[in-house]
Amino acid sequence: MPLPTVAIIGRPNVGKSTLFNRLVGKRLALVDDQPGVTRDRREGEASLLGLDFRVIDTAGYEDEDAATLPGRMRAQTEAAVREADVSLFLVDARAGVTPLDEEISRWLRSTDRPVVLVANKAEGRAGEAGILEAMALGLGEPIPFSAEHGEGVADLFEALLPHLERDEEEVEDENPDNPNAPLKLAIVGRPNAGKSTLVNRLLGEDRMITGPEAGITRDSIAIDWEWTDADGQRRPVRLIDTAGLRKRARVEEKLEKLSVADTLRSIDFAEVVVLLLDATRGLEVQDLKIADRVLQEGRALIIALNKWDVAENASSLFNGVKGALDEGLAQVKGVPLLTVSAATGKGLDVLIRVAFETRDAWSRRVSTGQLNRWFERAIEANPPPAPGGKRIKPRYVTQNKTRPPSFVLFGTRVDLLPTSYQRYLINGLRREFDFGAVPVRLTLRAPKNPFDRDKS
């Protein structure tokens, strides 16, 4: 399904192209103090705090005859508004509202299309008078913003979210979040942990070269495969076998360095990563470093103890590894720990089933209503502290993306929330919405209001 669309509208030289460049994260549009640089509609894929959309930079709207160049440029702008889900109408807060701004606002009100009013160049106090003037345009309260300096991003996110947030059914149909899409499953670990043997056992053929020598696999190999679940349903999987990851000090040859880099790219590509441990060697510091890297990249993690068929003192080994993981991966408790044997195939069905379940949690989207009903209960049960006597006033929380589940908390001074309270909220999210041990991100946003003189 195509991304929702945002059109940037305004008279010449109010900062439309500067805002466009900030949203797409590149200098795609030419920017100059001279008005009228942009003539054609320019489009790009934008992201704002994880909210993805298509953005259209338009020519400056001018009141000229339709046959003239400015008139034809205006026709392009009008077409962009008709096409967009919402328009950002920029005014220059420092210059104040002009007669052309008033004309554009009358036209936008007549279109019956959603409009978000943005008072650009509002950094400092010089734009306050222009912000007040913009309120008279009849398009709601303007958002104080600075496209040049990136101020006001959280407020812009809040204003755009209701117009761009899609229904859950629509999100389900999109490819990466589609539960019927192939599971991208990477197998990583130290050399000779049995990664290629495990892939061969899953495929039922000797697809990968194996042997007692460590480091046989050099490239990350992706293989399309189908797993049959307990209900007889065939589910697609893209298996990624990777080179073994050794301690950095022992990675000496140029070819091995390239192999390690390729493995790290495979982690970035994957949805779920299986960290395979050799049960005959137990857990080592390098394993924890690999696990931490996977979680830092926001990927869902499963840890599997391989060669379980030949492990000694199995019970104490399992409990020892589990305890070490809980201590060494303090940021995520309860990462699935499974026992498998690539040689005999034992436990592999469970491994793939847990991988699909983990991806479901990693891709889960929670409605804003559900989130805030939980949020109100969480705040009531444990009110936030008041560091230095300054009250922190959380307003609401919304999910801005999945894979991994990521949330934005808005409110006054929420950027002062201590780490312990943030952890309280993240753990509450995990329990309430069954995210399990997948990474959960929480971003704090305290919008700056130029009219807020309350320093209490």
Side-chain angles (χ1 to χ4, degrees):
M1 180 176 176
L3 291 171
T5 303
V6 174
I8 304 174
I9 310 297
R11 61 180 175 81
N13 216 29
V14 293
K16 299 184 297 298
S17 293
T18 303
L19 175 58
F20 175 87
N21 286 341
R22 179 164 291 280
L23 291 174
V24 300
K26 303 174 185 176
R27 293 183 64 85
L28 293 181
L30 294 178
V31 177
D32 192 84
D33 290 336
Q34 177 184 347
V37 172
T38 302
R39 289 182 171 177
D40 295 301
R41 284 185 284 170
R42 182 183 294 275
E43 300 182 11
E45 291 192 3
S47 182
L48 185 67
L49 300 182
L51 185 65
D52 297 323
F53 53 92
R54 187 167 62 100
V55 62
I56 305 175
D57 182 23
T58 66
Y61 189 99
E62 298 189 59
D63 184 18
E64 297 286 346
D65 185 88
T68 65
L69 178 59
R72 297 196 299 275
M73 290 158 56
R74 187 181 70 242
Q76 289 288 317
T77 298
E78 291 170 348
V81 171
R82 289 193 298 271
E83 179 183 331
D85 294 283
V86 59
S87 295
L88 292 179
F89 175 29
L90 263 64
V91 298
D92 186 333
R94 291 175 179 261
V97 172
T98 68
L100 185 53
D101 289 325
E102 294 172 348
E103 181 180 339
I104 297 171
S105 69
R106 285 193 293 271
W107 164 63
L108 288 171
R109 289 199 303 271
S110 72
T111 63
D112 293 327
R113 305 294 293 168
V115 178
V116 172
L117 179 60
V118 178
N120 193 30
K121 308 181 186 180
E123 62 272 19
R125 294 179 176 267
E128 290 187 7
I131 296 170
L132 290 169
E133 287 181 21
M135 291 183 178
L137 293 174
L139 293 170
E141 185 175 340
I143 296 172
F145 197 82
S146 172
E148 183 70 30
H149 302 288
E151 296 177 9
V153 168
D155 287 332
L156 185 60
F157 171 89
E158 281 190 82
L160 286 176
L161 186 65
H163 305 292
L164 304 183
E165 195 174 32
R166 278 155 300 166
D167 294 337
E168 304 226 354
E169 293 180 4
E170 295 175 335
V171 173
E172 278 298 303
D173 290 338
E174 293 180 19
N175 191 28
D177 294 343
N178 184 350
N180 297 317
L183 167 66
K184 297 174 183 174
L185 183 66
I187 314 295
V188 305
R190 286 181 281 122
N192 219 24
K195 299 182 294 297
S196 296
T197 304
L198 185 145
V199 170
N200 285 344
R201 173 62 63 175
L202 289 172
L203 297 175
E205 59 177 284
D206 290 335
R207 174 65 174 77
M208 307 300 299
I209 300 174
T210 61
E213 304 89 353
I216 292 178
T217 302
R218 283 177 167 170
D219 296 313
S220 294
I221 306 297
I223 305 162
D224 291 322
W225 172 64
E226 284 189 335
W227 172 66
T228 304
D229 65 16
D231 298 324
Q233 181 182 356
R234 298 173 69 85
R235 306 192 66 178
V237 180
R238 169 154 277 209
L239 285 170
I240 308 164
D241 185 21
T242 65
L245 290 171
R246 296 199 293 172
K247 292 180 181 179
R248 181 174 297 180
R250 296 176 61 187
V251 177
E252 297 168 353
E253 295 182 13
K254 180 180 179 182
L255 189 57
E256 187 174 358
K257 289 181 180 178
L258 293 174
S259 296
V260 169
D262 196 37
T263 297
L264 296 178
R265 281 194 297 273
S266 297
I267 290 173
D268 297 343
F269 173 79
E271 297 171 326
V272 179
V273 176
V274 174
L275 172 55
L276 202 64
L277 308 183
D278 184 338
T280 64
R281 297 173 61 184
L283 183 72
E284 296 186 4
V285 173
Q286 178 66 2
D287 297 315
L288 288 174
K289 289 182 177 178
I290 297 171
D292 184 66
R293 171 63 185 254
V294 171
L295 295 172
Q296 290 294 332
E297 290 298 323
R299 300 299 175 257
L301 176 65
I302 296 172
I303 297 177
L305 278 164
N306 189 28
K307 308 180 185 179
W308 197 246
D309 53 317
V310 294
E312 298 180 359
N313 302 317
S315 179
S316 61
L317 172 64
F318 184 88
N319 291 330
V321 170
K322 191 174 188 310
L325 288 172
D326 286 342
E327 183 177 345
L329 300 177
Q331 72 273 39
V332 176
K333 297 288 187 183
V335 171
L337 176 61
L338 308 176
T339 58
V340 300
S341 170
T344 67
K346 184 177 181 181
L348 297 191
D349 259 351
V350 174
L351 174 65
I352 302 300
R353 175 177 57 77
V354 171
F356 272 102
E357 292 171 353
T358 302
R359 184 181 71 167
D360 289 344
W362 187 65
S363 307
R364 182 165 297 133
R365 182 175 291 277
V366 183
S367 72
T368 302
Q370 285 179 294
L371 271 175
N372 284 286
R373 284 191 290 274
W374 160 80
F375 185 57
E376 289 174 5
R377 295 195 301 271
I379 296 297
E380 185 178 349
N382 184 12
K390 294 182 177 180
R391 289 183 60 196
I392 297 174
K393 302 175 185 177
R395 289 164 53 196
Y396 73 97
V397 63
T398 187
Q399 185 172 5
N400 61 332
K401 62 184 292 188
T402 62
R403 307 161 68 84
S406 302
F407 302 86
V408 182
L409 171 61
F410 292 93
T412 305
R413 301 189 187 92
V414 291
D415 51 325
L416 300 179
L417 280 174
T419 303
S420 58
Y421 198 83
Q422 294 178 47
R423 195 179 304 117
Y424 161 72
L425 293 175
I426 290 173
N427 290 338
L429 284 166
R430 288 187 191 284
R431 288 191 303 272
E432 181 74 13
F433 302 109
D434 197 23
F435 285 116
V438 301
V440 173
R441 306 281 192 252
L442 180 65
T443 303
L444 309 176
R445 293 290 171 184
K448 294 181 180 179
N449 185 344
F451 306 108
D452 184 7
R453 297 289 182 258
D454 177 19
K455 304 298 183 185
S456 62

